Amino acid sequence: MSGGSGRKTYEGRSIAVTFEAGRCRHAAECVRGLPEVFDIERRPWIQPDNASADRTAEVVRRCPSGALEYRRVG
Ligand code: SF4
């Protein structure tokens, strides 16, 4: 999934998180809120299976820029 927007998808077992780097405002809500899932030192930097889908979704919803989105899978 590439294309004009540059949105990337990080698939987990029960949730998929997408990230559009061009929108990120570096507010760090994600890395502070859930460092098990969001860690910029790691590749891939988003690992949705490291927390419950509910917790991941909650932190994604805190992203102020719309850079992060999620959808439930499975
Ligand atoms: S919460 Fe959203 S805007 Fe903030 S660093 Fe994470 S992705 Fe970027």
Side-chain angles (χ1 to χ4, degrees):
M1 273 233 311
S2 54
S5 71
R7 184 168 283 276
K8 283 191 186 160
T9 302
Y10 299 83
E11 300 276 358
R13 281 188 298 272
S14 51
I15 192 168
V17 177
T18 67
F19 175 66
E20 188 175 337
R23 283 190 175 213
C24 178
R25 295 291 171 267
H26 308 287
E29 290 288 342
C30 52
V31 292
R32 264 185 299 159
L34 203 49
E36 310 95 292
V37 171
F38 301 97
D39 182 349
I40 57 171
E41 305 292 326
R42 236 176 16 199
R43 292 295 176 270
W45 82 277
I46 301 174
Q47 298 189 15
D49 288 337
N50 288 352
S52 73
D54 285 344
R55 290 192 66 208
T56 299
E58 184 197 316
V59 170
V60 166
R61 285 197 299 267
R62 274 190 235 154
C63 173
S65 68
L68 291 174
E69 292 176 352
Y70 72 91
R71 67 170 192 279
R72 303 285 187 153
V73 296

